[in-house]
Amino acid sequence: MNSFAIFRLPHERQGTLMLQTTGEPLQLRHPDELRHKQGFVMAPFMATSLPLLLIQPDTVATFSSAEELLRLMDGISPLQPPPEGGGHSAGVLCEGSLPLQGEVGGSRASYAADFARFHHELQAGTYQKLVLSRCAEEPNTGDATPVELFIRACRLYPRLFIALVSTPQAGTWLTATPEILLEGDHQLWRTIALAGTMQLSGDDLNGEGEQIHWSVKNIQEQRYVASYVADCLKRLGIDYLETGPQTVRAAQLVHLRSDFTFALDQHVQLCDLLAALHPTPAVCGLPKDEALRFIIGQEHSPRRYYSGYMGPLSPSSTHLYVSLRCMQIEPSRYLLYAGGGILKDSREPEEWQETESKLLTMRSLLTP
């Protein structure tokens, strides 16, 4: 079976197709296993429940237009979700997850129940921050192919990393994400701390969010993430330059972002940094390990490859992005994922609305 990844980097006019026609993608369990390898990485939120996948392409081709991409993809169909152990439709949950209750965790009632459990722990001081996600379902009417949805995403979201990935193990996923996990080359590397969310409206949609006034909650949430990234780099003995935070736009939303640039010494391997960074508090919480266990046990629906990371990996150029604003494409439905950071002062109506705003990134692709 064919596996492929189609991606376009932010602000680029050219995209890339990586196609594997022989064998299946490698199934790995830890970033350490990526050492001395290259290809397209697709990592889950929790690597102990699903494999970290590495597409090793037989063919790599670039394209500069939708027409070129459609010609390259002629006769190549995205794969259906795995029949066992993969999709929600198979009824298989990640280890420790609560059972799905009729929906895929997307109802207001199930979100409110999750929020109450999360918020109780925050108010008790067990955690500084927790990230609560949900999965919403939309019907797949067959009006657009996955490749056509990818093309729409590229047109709508020039600032974002766009990727369509299809493998036998994971099925087919589309993401349009603003968050760099790790990118660079031999000389210079970069990661970011991205958190805090506000929705643009009215005249603000004509700019980059310059007039936005950030709340204390958003500033504090972003600072947690930035401090965590800085601590990871310090523990590995990496000297870095931090800039920001600044307001950056992603589709109809804006976020607060700090940039960290650095060189990687020979004794610091890329895989060591990946293992330290993922998952960041932007998609998990603090303290990290305890928050991760809590999330896996308490969210209504498993995240699977949502809030993992994906992107091309090679000795000359690596671009790994956190898999936000994404959806899994199934024959009869789309499963859309979104989440948000919760602090002890958070309120459920505002957090629900934040997830609705984030889901709009993918929902907008379904109605041309």
Side-chain angles (χ1 to χ4, degrees):
M1 288 187 285
N2 295 329
S3 298
F4 66 81
I6 311 168
F7 63 92
R8 189 222 59 197
L9 296 173
H11 304 291
E12 294 288 337
R13 295 185 176 274
Q14 181 174 276
T16 302
L17 164 65
M18 302 178 77
L19 175 64
Q20 180 173 345
T21 58
T22 57
E24 293 187 353
L26 290 181
Q27 299 188 50
L28 311 174
R29 286 294 176 184
H30 193 275
D32 279 347
E33 298 176 70
L34 290 170
R35 295 182 194 275
H36 312 300
K37 293 183 174 65
Q38 58 184 333
F40 190 95
V41 178
M42 184 179 185
F45 173 63
M46 185 66 175
T48 58
S49 55
L50 290 170
L52 188 160
L53 302 174
L54 180 67
I55 296 174
Q56 298 181 296
D58 308 292
T59 301
V60 177
T62 59
F63 56 89
S64 300
S65 67
E67 293 74 21
E68 280 186 75
L69 175 58
L70 291 170
R71 284 195 296 271
L72 288 170
M73 293 300 294
D74 185 32
I76 303 171
S77 298
L79 294 157
Q80 304 302 319
E84 298 293 340
H88 290 291
S89 55
V92 178
L93 304 184
C94 294
E95 180 183 355
S97 293
L98 297 174
L100 301 183
Q101 300 180 355
E103 301 174 73
V104 278
S107 73
R108 184 65 179 268
S110 61
Y111 181 83
D114 284 354
F115 181 90
R117 287 192 300 275
F118 280 50
H119 197 235
H120 174 78
E121 297 296 328
L122 289 161
Q123 289 188 312
T126 311
Y127 306 99
Q128 295 171 277
K129 173 186 175 179
L130 289 169
V131 176
L132 173 58
S133 71
R134 66 186 183 97
C135 178
E137 181 176 342
E138 297 287 345
N140 184 348
T141 60
D143 294 336
T145 67
V147 174
E148 288 169 338
L149 293 176
F150 171 86
I151 292 169
R152 289 179 190 173
C154 289
R155 289 172 176 164
L156 280 176
Y157 307 128
R159 301 172 180 84
L160 306 185
F161 173 79
I162 313 295
L164 176 67
V165 187
S166 187
T167 75
Q169 302 95 336
T172 301
W173 291 71
L174 177 66
T175 188
T177 176
E179 185 170 354
I180 299 165
L181 181 64
L182 190 59
E183 70 172 7
D185 51 29
H186 291 302
Q187 302 298 320
L188 190 65
W189 290 85
R190 176 169 63 144
T191 187
I192 68 171
L194 188 80
T197 301
M198 293 186 69
Q199 184 168 9
L200 296 176
S201 60
D203 292 340
D204 286 338
L205 287 166
N206 297 322
E208 298 296 319
E210 300 92 341
Q211 306 305 315
I212 290 293
H213 296 285
W214 290 97
S215 68
V216 173
K217 183 261 185 185
N218 279 299
I219 293 170
Q220 184 180 16
E221 184 184 347
Q222 196 273 340
R223 194 63 242 163
Y224 281 147
V225 181
S227 296
Y228 174 83
V229 172
D231 287 344
C232 287
L233 295 171
K234 290 174 184 175
R235 286 198 303 270
L236 291 171
I238 298 172
D239 293 326
Y240 63 88
L241 173 66
E242 179 181 356
T243 57
Q246 61 179 326
T247 301
V248 293
R249 181 171 175 178
Q252 76 282 8
L253 305 175
V254 287
H255 307 285
L256 281 170
R257 186 178 104 180
S258 297
D259 287 57
F260 298 81
T261 53
F262 49 91
L264 283 180
D265 295 333
Q266 288 185 350
H267 74 281
V268 178
Q269 296 289 333
L270 170 68
C271 299
D272 296 329
L273 187 51
L274 268 182
L277 288 174
H278 177 71
T280 73
V283 297
C284 181
L286 286 170
K288 173 181 169 177
D289 292 340
E290 292 85 347
L292 182 61
R293 288 192 292 269
F294 181 81
I295 288 168
I296 292 167
Q298 296 298 320
E299 282 186 338
H300 260 81
S301 53
R303 297 190 185 187
R304 304 196 69 244
Y305 287 92
Y306 164 66
S307 66
Y309 57 91
M310 64 172 65
L313 172 74
S314 77
S316 60
S317 182
T318 291
H319 301 274
L320 300 177
Y321 280 74
V322 181
S323 304
L324 305 178
R325 320 292 194 271
C326 70
M327 66 179 172
Q328 185 176 8
I329 301 172
E330 296 187 352
S332 62
R333 64 180 182 173
Y334 302 103
L335 298 175
L336 283 61
Y337 295 81
I342 298 175
L343 306 181
K344 65 179 181 180
D345 296 328
S346 297
R347 298 179 66 250
E348 190 270 349
E350 286 85 355
E351 299 302 330
W352 169 266
Q353 186 55 52
E354 180 176 322
T355 63
E356 283 290 289
S357 298
K358 290 175 176 176
L359 288 171
L360 187 60
T361 301
M362 287 288 115
R363 282 186 173 138
S364 298
L365 303 178
L366 306 181
T367 53

